[in-house]
Amino acid sequence: MQQVRKPKRAARSEMIAGKPARNRRSAEQMLVELKQRLRELSDLNAASDILNWDQATYMPEGGAGARGRQRATLNRLAHERAIDPALGKLIEYLTRYGESLPYDSDDASLIRVARREYQKKIKIPPDHVERATVHCSASYDAWTRARPANDFATMVPYLERTLDLSRDYSSYFAPYKHVADPHIDHADEGMTAASTRTLFGELKRQLVPMVQAICEQPAADDSSLGQTFAKAAQFDFALHVAECLGYDLKCGRLDLTHHPFCSRFSAGDVRITTRVNENDLGDALFSTLHEAGHAMYEQGISAALDGTPLGQGVSAGVHESQSRLWENVVGRSRGFWEHFYPRLQRIFAEQLSPVPLAAFHRAINKVARSLIRTDADELTYNLHIMLRFDLELKMLEGQLRVRDLPEAWHAAMQADLGIAPSDDRDGCLQDAHWYSGYIGGRFQSYAIGNILSAQFYAAALKAHPDIPHEIVSGEFGTLHTWLRDNLYRHGSKYVPHDLVERATGEAMHMRSYLSYLREKYGALANSAATDQQVVRYLNHPA
Amino acid sequence: MQQVRKPKRAARSEMIAGKPARNRRSAEQMLVELKQRLRELSDLNAASDILNWDQATYMPEGGAGARGRQRATLNRLAHERAIDPALGKLIEYLTRYGESLPYDSDDASLIRVARREYQKKIKIPPDHVERATVHCSASYDAWTRARPANDFATMVPYLERTLDLSRDYSSYFAPYKHVADPHIDHADEGMTAASTRTLFGELKRQLVPMVQAICEQPAADDSSLGQTFAKAAQFDFALHVAECLGYDLKCGRLDLTHHPFCSRFSAGDVRITTRVNENDLGDALFSTLHEAGHAMYEQGISAALDGTPLGQGVSAGVHESQSRLWENVVGRSRGFWEHFYPRLQRIFAEQLSPVPLAAFHRAINKVARSLIRTDADELTYNLHIMLRFDLELKMLEGQLRVRDLPEAWHAAMQADLGIAPSDDRDGCLQDAHWYSGYIGGRFQSYAIGNILSAQFYAAALKAHPDIPHEIVSGEFGTLHTWLRDNLYRHGSKYVPHDLVERATGEAMHMRSYLSYLREKYGALANSAATDQQVVRYLNHPA
């Protein structure tokens, strides 16, 4: 029966391809057309991202109005193409051909992923995309002024409109169990509000007593990081470290912005941004390592996948796992600073020569209940995330009005972290996310990333137990190569849970993360105790 | 008869507008649709220009390949829209309505200019646009490496292809009197190879004896400009001066590049670029003033014209008139430096305190037969232009093969300027133009701009004789306002010769330019003579 049908399918394929050919060739011709269409789409998206990068780095303020419109036009044209019925037909014709190829092959994966994206995107009306883009651009622009002015009132109408647009987005994917589900699935395919709540419930149960125990000890002294450090030297050092990790500057660069981000324009152009605070040595340094982690993921994707939907990181959570792996698991480890601290001490001799390595290592790993997510330590960071996740779910559910957000923020901070901001600048105005995009699905990825960062690192260590010693020598090639071979190069070929299992041999779990935290903070507590004994000995010699 | 026809036209208009309305409303609705279509086109062009700016300023080298493709996609989409038959019909329906409005009104001008552009663009096949964009991007990229390597051989196949593409372009506008005419008309509407040759014949006749006479005098000493000047301080000073002239940094910025240019992304975002040479004080300074002149023209265009074909300078020649007016007529004048030189001397105290104003003024106006167009003085600059104009005409005519260009360049330099480059880096590889776009119509605008710069300045002076005194006080408002009111704000409303007549009361002529040159170089010769007497007196006191 299938044999008999074949000529018929061939005939349909030939119609698409525009000239007669054997069935196999015809599918290949269609594949060429599919790739052309997807590349055009990728070009439009890249152009929009370049306009966004420019807006966040160098654009003069007078450009803001037109820039919103320009990006909206590009996004609308891209969306029109992404939902073009001719593209849908091409994918439909190619589906069976794709299934005949090895699952892992570039072409099978391309057809599979293009089909999934197409079926998702046709649900979103093009005029919604344009309205959302224009609105988010204007909102982000307003936020860049409102945050320093501590002016939440100005942002209320923006956020209310964002909330409406976010609910509209969800409605296109109805039915769903929770209004946030389409947003969460968009960021972290396969996750839902319910599964994330379960995960976060367990994470919170484990973290709260750890934070409690650490905060009962004397706090680490991080005053050494709060001295005055020349901005240019901080910038240069951060860039140097990113390059040492493996961030390729022939295909990337570092620039200044309000809120650091990483942006991929092509396989050969993946850029990161940072901000520099003269009185916080950690700000530029760790935000650069964080974004370099994202960028190394993007730079490591097989060049053959460039210009297709496979040529990008697979999910926000897996992406965050890489930023957090390089920023925290590697970048805040003792071994890492055994290599880099002498150089940092040379650069900032006056400020850091009185600060021994152990004290510096404790300072950059200080656990404290603090106000700002991006400044938070690895442990309490998760509490910041879970708080935001709860609040955005409540806003989407209609249980929390936008105008009541500052109060709800205050109460949640008090309950979860035991402190609360005195203004909105350090409260609900601090993150760009809700002011530059949808409300919903924006924050859970950070905690998922933390969990996965340790799971990936543990798997790399299992394969190459020498990695910690290499890090002490400033060598990151083995780790980088393992990550590239097992994660990066695949781009979006596999859905997140499949990728995690292929790379680590297990589904996502919390064990590696919790034992990583226990081991690290246990060692830090011992180091502090030892040093205190030393100090006592020095003050009162036997 | 016209009265009777009206209802019929109304009915057709209503069909376009999509719902019944009175004739007048219907035309207005069509006008709204026309503006929407043109704005989308403007957004795509702006996006392409932003990608180009990024490529020439900050893009890492790895991005070059994809960037060419990305711009090609944008340009193809823009061109598809620019030649959309639906746009043509809309313009056709609106033409009579436009003619019923005052000629000077924004709407009448918009319909008139949109019609002209449409009729021009439908002659160019979309695939030509894409091929030309991809090729020019690759060629420019190759040139950025070939020039420092003095490697003309690498560029030969690129240039040959460019020449083919340039002839293809002309062929779409056949019949023409000269193969370069479509290119020249594109840059300087109304001009042809023949009219430009006539103009340049006269200019050369006048200039050659002037250059001869000046070069027989002792050359001005410009060694003071060749000392070592810190790059950052040069950059800052150039930006400061541009801002004093009236370049608005809230709607603009200055960045570094290989080959300086000005780019408009919207009314609120008009950027300039420069290059800084540690051993040439004039390079960054005058290229910045040059680009600031272009930018002030673009910034001065009525904001109401933004996002339409009227929202840009009218022609390359008129544009150059503004860069040259601010760079040379103002920026190399004695009065200008009476104001700015003390500041420059403070910044570079060690280098410039021994150099009196008069000597500095002579140095920046030194006339010498030199190799590099962009470094040339005002007088010989025109000879460089005319040489290029001749060579590109010969290449287009097929009288000069690409591979013979270095030799022809050498011979022409020897004949016209009396010197010749020892390598191609300082010869036919020096300008980006042929390596980043068509061959043809690329250079004549500079000499036209020189001629017009003096004509516009003379007209402004006639209206406001105090302008030279204001310049001595560092005040540029009167001149800037006159230029904005008489030139800038009109954008592309009027064809170049109409604009010139409206602003100056006369057709383009050479009298103002020649008397400006005679007056300036006469005064400089006298100043040199006087100083020489002073020097003699100092050496041999009476």
Side-chain angles (χ1 to χ4, degrees):
Chain A
M1 190 64 180
Q2 255 192 335
Q3 288 276 338
V4 176
R5 265 189 187 162
K6 254 186 177 169
K8 203 176 175 187
R9 275 193 286 121
R12 287 166 77 196
S13 305
E14 283 152 15
M15 225 169 56
I16 299 286
K19 51 182 172 178
R22 281 176 300 128
N23 185 29
R24 185 60 186 240
R25 258 201 79 213
S26 168
E28 279 158 7
Q29 284 171 340
M30 283 194 289
L31 193 58
V32 168
E33 193 194 326
L34 177 66
K35 287 178 183 174
Q36 273 170 350
R37 282 177 173 270
L38 294 173
R39 194 152 43 231
E40 183 182 88
L41 204 51
S42 160
D43 288 342
L44 281 168
N45 288 326
S48 174
D49 289 342
I50 294 163
L51 267 56
N52 181 56
W53 174 89
D54 179 73
Q55 180 165 17
T57 51
Y58 295 110
M59 189 188 76
E61 59 181 279
R67 182 56 53 88
R69 195 192 68 216
Q70 289 157 350
R71 289 195 64 210
T73 297
L74 293 175
N75 294 357
R76 181 171 49 75
L77 294 177
H79 194 70
E80 279 171 14
R81 272 162 178 69
I83 60 169
D84 185 344
L87 174 64
K89 276 195 182 137
L90 203 56
I91 291 170
E92 192 191 324
Y93 287 129
L94 280 166
T95 297
R96 198 174 290 212
Y97 169 71
E99 286 165 0
S100 77
L101 301 173
Y103 183 88
D104 290 2
S105 71
D106 288 356
D107 288 344
S109 304
L110 177 65
I111 296 165
R112 186 172 68 237
V113 171
R115 181 185 175 84
R116 205 161 58 220
E117 292 215 345
Y118 180 77
Q119 289 178 340
K120 195 161 125 186
K121 280 191 179 147
I122 51 171
K123 295 183 174 166
I124 311 166
D127 68 317
H128 171 87
V129 178
E130 183 151 18
R131 274 183 289 126
T133 311
V134 171
H135 170 70
C136 290
S137 178
S139 174
Y140 176 79
D141 186 56
W143 172 78
T144 62
R145 286 182 299 275
R147 195 196 168 194
N150 189 37
D151 180 9
F152 181 74
T154 292
M155 298 313 297
V156 168
Y158 286 102
L159 271 187
E160 284 172 344
R161 174 106 179 96
T162 303
L163 197 55
D164 286 342
L165 289 164
S166 305
R167 290 205 191 97
D168 288 348
Y169 177 89
S170 292
S171 72
Y172 308 134
F173 296 90
Y176 39 73
K177 287 200 174 161
H178 190 283
V179 61
D181 282 352
H183 290 284
I184 295 171
D185 187 78
H186 179 73
D188 295 294
E189 201 176 339
M191 301 291 290
T192 62
S195 67
T196 309
R197 273 176 170 154
T198 305
L199 187 75
F200 284 2
E202 173 63 11
L203 184 60
K204 205 168 172 177
R205 254 191 305 283
Q206 298 282 347
L207 285 184
V208 166
M210 283 177 72
V211 171
Q212 186 70 28
I214 294 172
C215 289
E216 276 169 8
Q217 306 293 318
D221 176 8
D222 65 348
S223 60
S224 60
L225 308 178
Q227 303 174 78
T228 301
F229 300 92
K231 285 186 170 187
Q234 284 195 57
F235 184 94
D236 292 345
F237 179 73
L239 185 57
H240 166 76
V241 175
E243 204 177 2
C244 290
L245 295 183
Y247 176 49
D248 179 1
L249 286 177
K250 277 190 185 153
C251 299
R253 51 177 292 119
L254 176 66
D255 296 276
L256 294 173
T257 191
H258 284 287
H259 191 90
F261 63 97
C262 167
S263 211
R264 174 202 180 94
F265 307 142
S266 67
D269 190 355
V270 181
R271 305 188 195 175
I272 58 175
T273 54
T274 190
R275 61 177 170 219
V276 187
N277 182 336
E278 204 174 37
N279 299 115
D280 181 356
L281 186 57
D283 206 359
L285 178 59
F286 291 108
S287 77
T288 303
L289 297 193
H290 181 99
E291 301 307 334
H294 285 302
M296 286 157 71
Y297 183 4
E298 292 289 335
Q299 287 187 334
I301 295 171
S302 163
L305 308 180
D306 201 34
T308 80
L310 303 179
Q312 55 189 346
V314 69
S315 71
V318 173
H319 235 303
E320 281 308 311
S321 79
Q322 294 315 296
S323 56
R324 306 301 273 176
L325 188 154
W326 291 104
E327 176 196 356
N328 288 338
V329 182
V330 173
R332 292 183 203 263
S333 71
R334 173 77 186 223
F336 182 86
W337 287 104
E338 282 179 24
H339 177 74
F340 282 110
Y341 194 56
R343 185 188 179 101
L344 188 65
Q345 277 187 313
R346 278 198 301 277
I347 295 170
F348 298 116
E350 198 188 324
Q351 300 95 321
L352 296 181
S353 56
V355 184
L357 171 61
F360 177 78
H361 183 232
R362 279 199 303 276
I364 61 170
N365 284 292
K366 177 184 179 180
V367 173
R369 299 173 163 116
S370 66
L371 297 173
I372 306 293
R373 173 183 65 88
T374 54
D375 298 342
D377 57 88
E378 284 180 73
L379 280 178
T380 59
Y381 190 90
N382 297 293
L383 302 177
H384 287 273
I385 294 308
M386 293 187 271
L387 177 154
R388 285 155 178 76
F389 180 75
D390 282 347
L391 290 176
E392 65 178 3
L393 258 52
K394 280 186 186 144
M395 284 194 280
L396 281 170
E397 290 161 358
Q399 286 189 42
L400 172 62
R401 289 178 307 185
V402 164
R403 82 182 80 149
D404 298 330
L405 181 60
E407 200 180 326
W409 187 284
H410 197 277
M413 282 293 292
Q414 201 67 58
D416 294 358
L417 281 131
I419 55 167
S422 60
D423 62 19
D424 297 328
R425 184 172 31 216
D426 291 343
C428 62
L429 276 174
Q430 71 180 260
D431 295 309
H433 301 58
W434 292 336
Y435 305 97
S436 64
Y438 291 122
I439 293 171
R442 299 306 298 279
F443 285 101
Q444 77 287 336
S445 318
Y446 294 102
I448 292 171
N450 283 340
I451 293 166
L452 286 175
S453 69
Q455 185 169 343
F456 286 127
Y457 188 72
L461 235 61
K462 202 172 162 189
H464 303 285
D466 259 3
I467 284 174
H469 300 109
E470 292 183 11
I471 289 177
V472 174
S473 319
E475 294 293 332
F476 304 93
T478 305
L479 175 59
H480 192 181
T481 303
W482 185 90
L483 289 166
R484 198 172 56 223
D485 290 350
N486 289 279
L487 243 82
Y488 300 172
R489 70 184 172 95
H490 299 309
S492 292
K493 266 191 182 179
Y494 311 118
V495 294
H497 69 83
D498 187 10
L499 182 67
V500 170
E501 285 198 23
R502 283 169 185 258
T504 70
E506 289 180 279
M508 176 167 69
H509 62 75
M510 226 177 280
R511 294 189 313 280
S512 300
Y513 186 51
L514 294 173
S515 64
Y516 156 73
L517 290 176
R518 284 198 192 99
E519 197 175 317
K520 174 170 187 170
Y521 288 99
L524 280 162
N526 287 338
S527 137
T530 312
D531 267 26
Q532 273 154 25
Q533 283 160 3
V534 172
V535 170
R536 268 197 299 276
Y537 172 80
L538 286 171
N539 287 339
H540 306 282
Chain B
M1 190 64 180
Q2 255 192 334
Q3 287 278 338
V4 176
R5 266 188 185 160
K6 254 184 179 169
K8 203 174 175 187
R9 276 192 287 121
R12 287 167 76 194
S13 306
E14 283 151 15
M15 226 168 54
I16 299 289
K19 52 181 174 179
R22 282 174 300 126
N23 184 30
R24 185 58 186 242
R25 259 200 79 212
S26 169
E28 280 159 6
Q29 284 171 338
M30 285 194 288
L31 193 57
V32 168
E33 194 195 326
L34 177 66
K35 287 178 184 174
Q36 273 169 350
R37 283 176 172 271
L38 295 173
R39 195 151 43 229
E40 184 181 84
L41 204 50
S42 158
D43 288 342
L44 281 167
N45 287 326
S48 174
D49 289 342
I50 293 163
L51 266 57
N52 181 54
W53 174 90
D54 178 72
Q55 180 164 16
T57 51
Y58 295 110
M59 190 187 76
E61 60 181 278
R67 182 56 53 90
R69 196 193 67 214
Q70 289 157 350
R71 289 195 64 211
T73 298
L74 292 176
N75 294 356
R76 181 173 48 76
L77 293 177
H79 193 69
E80 278 171 15
R81 273 162 179 68
I83 61 169
D84 185 343
L87 174 64
K89 276 194 183 139
L90 203 55
I91 291 170
E92 192 191 325
Y93 287 129
L94 279 165
T95 297
R96 199 174 292 209
Y97 169 71
E99 287 166 0
S100 77
L101 301 172
Y103 182 88
D104 290 2
S105 69
D106 288 356
D107 288 344
S109 304
L110 177 65
I111 295 165
R112 187 173 66 236
V113 172
R115 181 185 175 84
R116 205 161 57 221
E117 292 214 346
Y118 179 78
Q119 290 178 339
K120 196 161 124 187
K121 281 190 178 148
I122 50 172
K123 296 183 174 165
I124 311 166
D127 67 318
H128 171 86
V129 177
E130 184 152 17
R131 275 183 289 126
T133 311
V134 171
H135 170 71
C136 291
S137 179
S139 173
Y140 175 80
D141 186 55
W143 172 78
T144 61
R145 286 183 298 277
R147 195 198 167 193
N150 189 38
D151 179 10
F152 182 73
T154 293
M155 298 312 299
V156 168
Y158 285 103
L159 270 188
E160 283 172 345
R161 174 105 178 97
T162 304
L163 197 55
D164 286 343
L165 288 165
S166 305
R167 289 203 192 99
D168 289 348
Y169 177 90
S170 292
S171 72
Y172 308 133
F173 296 90
Y176 40 72
K177 287 200 172 160
H178 189 283
V179 61
D181 283 352
H183 291 284
I184 295 171
D185 187 78
H186 180 73
D188 295 294
E189 201 177 339
M191 300 292 290
T192 62
S195 67
T196 309
R197 273 174 168 155
T198 305
L199 186 76
F200 284 1
E202 174 63 12
L203 184 61
K204 205 166 172 178
R205 256 192 303 284
Q206 298 282 345
L207 286 184
V208 167
M210 281 177 73
V211 172
Q212 187 69 28
I214 293 171
C215 290
E216 278 169 5
Q217 305 292 319
D221 176 7
D222 63 350
S223 59
S224 58
L225 308 178
Q227 302 174 79
T228 301
F229 300 91
K231 285 186 171 187
Q234 283 195 57
F235 185 93
D236 291 347
F237 178 74
L239 185 57
H240 166 77
V241 175
E243 203 177 3
C244 290
L245 295 182
Y247 176 50
D248 179 1
L249 286 178
K250 278 191 184 153
C251 299
R253 53 178 290 121
L254 176 65
D255 296 275
L256 295 173
T257 192
H258 284 288
H259 192 91
F261 63 96
C262 167
S263 211
R264 174 203 179 94
F265 307 141
S266 67
D269 191 355
V270 181
R271 305 189 196 174
I272 59 175
T273 54
T274 190
R275 63 178 169 218
V276 187
N277 182 337
E278 204 174 39
N279 299 115
D280 181 355
L281 185 57
D283 206 359
L285 178 59
F286 291 108
S287 76
T288 303
L289 297 192
H290 182 100
E291 302 307 333
H294 285 303
M296 287 157 71
Y297 184 4
E298 291 290 335
Q299 287 188 333
I301 295 171
S302 163
L305 307 180
D306 201 33
T308 80
L310 304 179
Q312 55 190 346
V314 70
S315 71
V318 173
H319 236 303
E320 281 307 313
S321 79
Q322 294 315 295
S323 55
R324 306 301 273 176
L325 188 153
W326 291 103
E327 176 195 355
N328 288 337
V329 182
V330 173
R332 292 184 203 263
S333 71
R334 172 76 187 224
F336 181 86
W337 287 105
E338 282 179 25
H339 177 74
F340 282 109
Y341 194 57
R343 184 189 180 99
L344 188 64
Q345 277 187 314
R346 277 197 303 277
I347 295 170
F348 298 115
E350 196 187 325
Q351 300 95 323
L352 296 181
S353 56
V355 185
L357 171 62
F360 177 79
H361 184 232
R362 279 198 304 277
I364 61 170
N365 284 291
K366 178 184 179 179
V367 173
R369 298 172 164 115
S370 66
L371 297 174
I372 306 293
R373 174 184 64 89
T374 54
D375 298 342
D377 58 86
E378 284 180 71
L379 281 178
T380 59
Y381 189 92
N382 297 293
L383 302 177
H384 287 272
I385 295 307
M386 293 186 272
L387 176 154
R388 285 154 177 77
F389 179 76
D390 282 346
L391 290 176
E392 66 179 0
L393 258 53
K394 279 184 187 145
M395 283 194 281
L396 280 170
E397 290 161 359
Q399 287 190 41
L400 172 61
R401 289 177 306 184
V402 165
R403 80 182 83 148
D404 298 331
L405 182 60
E407 199 180 328
W409 186 285
H410 197 276
M413 281 294 291
Q414 201 66 59
D416 293 358
L417 281 129
I419 55 167
S422 61
D423 62 21
D424 297 328
R425 183 171 33 215
D426 291 344
C428 62
L429 277 174
Q430 71 179 264
D431 295 308
H433 302 59
W434 292 335
Y435 305 97
S436 64
Y438 291 122
I439 294 171
R442 299 305 298 278
F443 286 101
Q444 77 288 334
S445 318
Y446 294 102
I448 292 171
N450 283 341
I451 293 165
L452 287 175
S453 69
Q455 185 169 344
F456 286 128
Y457 188 72
L461 236 61
K462 201 172 162 188
H464 303 285
D466 260 4
I467 284 173
H469 300 109
E470 292 182 10
I471 290 176
V472 173
S473 319
E475 294 292 332
F476 304 93
T478 304
L479 175 58
H480 192 182
T481 303
W482 186 91
L483 289 165
R484 199 172 55 224
D485 291 350
N486 291 278
L487 243 82
Y488 301 172
R489 71 184 172 95
H490 299 309
S492 292
K493 266 190 181 179
Y494 311 118
V495 293
H497 69 81
D498 186 10
L499 181 68
V500 170
E501 285 199 22
R502 283 169 186 257
T504 70
E506 288 179 280
M508 176 168 69
H509 61 75
M510 226 176 281
R511 294 189 313 279
S512 300
Y513 185 51
L514 294 172
S515 63
Y516 155 75
L517 291 176
R518 283 196 193 99
E519 197 175 317
K520 174 171 186 168
Y521 289 99
L524 281 161
N526 287 336
S527 136
T530 312
D531 266 26
Q532 275 154 21
Q533 283 162 5
V534 173
V535 171
R536 270 197 297 274
Y537 172 80
L538 288 170
N539 289 339
H540 307 281

